[in-house]
Amino acid sequence: MQYVSEKNLGRLSLYRRLLNRLQAEGTRSIYSHELARMAGGTAAQVRRDLMAVGSVGSPKRGYNVRELIDRIGEFLDAPEGEGVALVGAGNLGRAIMAYFSGRRPKLSIVAAFDTDPSKVNRVIHGCRSYPVEEMEEVVRRDGLRVGIITVPAKEAQGVADMLVAAGVRGILNFAPTPLRVGPDVHVEDIDMTMSLEKVAFYARKHALEREPAK
Amino acid sequence: MQYVSEKNLGRLSLYRRLLNRLQAEGTRSIYSHELARMAGGTAAQVRRDLMAVGSVGSPKRGYNVRELIDRIGEFLDAPEGEGVALVGAGNLGRAIMAYFSGRRPKLSIVAAFDTDPSKVNRVIHGCRSYPVEEMEEVVRRDGLRVGIITVPAKEAQGVADMLVAAGVRGILNFAPTPLRVGPDVHVEDIDMTMSLEKVAFYARKHALEREPAK
DNA sequence: TAGATTGTTAATCGATTAACAATC
DNA sequence: TAGATTGTTAATCGATTAACAATC
């Protein structure tokens, strides 16, 4: 299995989703250019990405959909499944719990934490919530290696430190602030404010180009 | 004003937020390496990014915080402000409305749309909600150029087409599917499933490296 | 002045794209 | 076979990093 970059990895995740839809529709095989068209990339890129997971296509029939799904799964998924801890059961946190609820059996949020007494010791979207004081204990007990942070920016670094101390090695960070973690922890940021500002910038640019009246 | 890449743009957005915090704390000036440390980048990169918005620093005092905030604002923001339309007032959509509510006066969600009769003609987190049938009319009337899509994957493309037809030129897409739009429309994807799968992959990798028992 | 930082150019790096022999 | 696609290498592209004269 060769080196796979972070961008490769993201695209593999996308391909799998597209392939799952195709399989549900009864499609058995697919060519690189077809998958590229669906994913919004080039055929060469798709071939290179698929090569990385050891897939085998044939010039005549392209790639077997089921086999591709299996290969990507072997590469991406933990065979035994992966439990996720979510910290911050506010509006965004609860929406994310709802979003991931039942979507992937091998990757599901199994515990939520909050400081607000009204939000803990309950079941939210099928997930048990605990006071933050119990975080280290629960994360250790359940062997959770993945965390999601949906607390305000000011609290995010402290939460990250607690998660890492409890054994978490990957964090999906929704707090609009950079996190400092060690080299053995991976952080993925989802910065909605940054994304919206970028979109607004380009929207304005496109609108101005359209009517070049000065 | 020189060329600014998409990554540059995102970092400028982050710098501004960090600078706003510094200003609130009373900091007047800052060196590139200090800002780099906060943002998680290199000093040279910060200098190059700031150069792009025409900032002027001095070897003695570094950059003036207030001036930087102004320059980045002139570059990123629409002077008259920008209204945003959100389509899909489900769990995620409402959480996003709450998230952006009052956060940026110049970039705020001013209208939400949904097909569910129980979710329309109301005020959610300070934002009026309408039935989708009124989307084109409202978007045109208010001159909205930015849209946020938080509907299920199957409906996303149709919603995108409607938004673009009504005049939207930038879309923040939370639906886990690629959108096809013309070259004069910018799409930014926030794919939470992809991000979580990437985090899980690296978390597993780090955990396995830690205990190389085979 | 001496020393640290800025603005800017050159060198490096990595990912994407193009190209093409091998294959069905 | 002829034709389209795959697997894989070489060329291109763009962003990051390093370097350094100019500046305070």
Side-chain angles (χ1 to χ4, degrees), chain A residues 54-130:
Chain A
S55 70
V56 247
S58 100
K60 201 136 194 189
R61 304 188 184 174
Y63 299 88
N64 181 281
V65 170
R66 175 191 292 271
E67 192 188 323
L68 274 192
I69 292 171
D70 290 347
R71 288 289 166 89
I72 296 175
E74 282 166 25
F75 183 77
L76 279 184
D77 294 338
E80 64 295 355
E82 193 84 65
V84 179
L86 181 142
V87 189
N91 283 315
L92 186 60
R94 291 198 306 274
I96 288 166
M97 280 189 260
Y99 187 85
F100 284 114
S101 175
R103 200 169 279 244
R104 293 218 145 276
K106 288 207 170 182
L107 184 60
S108 58
I109 301 174
V110 297
F113 302 92
D114 207 295
T115 48
D116 184 342
S118 74
K119 288 175 186 154
V120 303
N121 297 318
R122 288 172 42 194
V123 174
I124 307 173
H125 297 296
C127 167
R128 178 80 193 277
S129 69
Y130 305 84

Side-chain angles (χ1 to χ4, degrees), chain A residues 13 17 104 176 191 197 210, chain B residues 13 17 104 184 191 197:
Chain A
S13 164
R17 238 170 311 153
R104 293 218 145 276
D191 188 332
E197 287 186 348
R210 181 160 263 242
Chain B
S13 164
R17 240 170 310 154
R104 294 217 144 275
D184 59 339
D191 188 332
E197 286 185 348

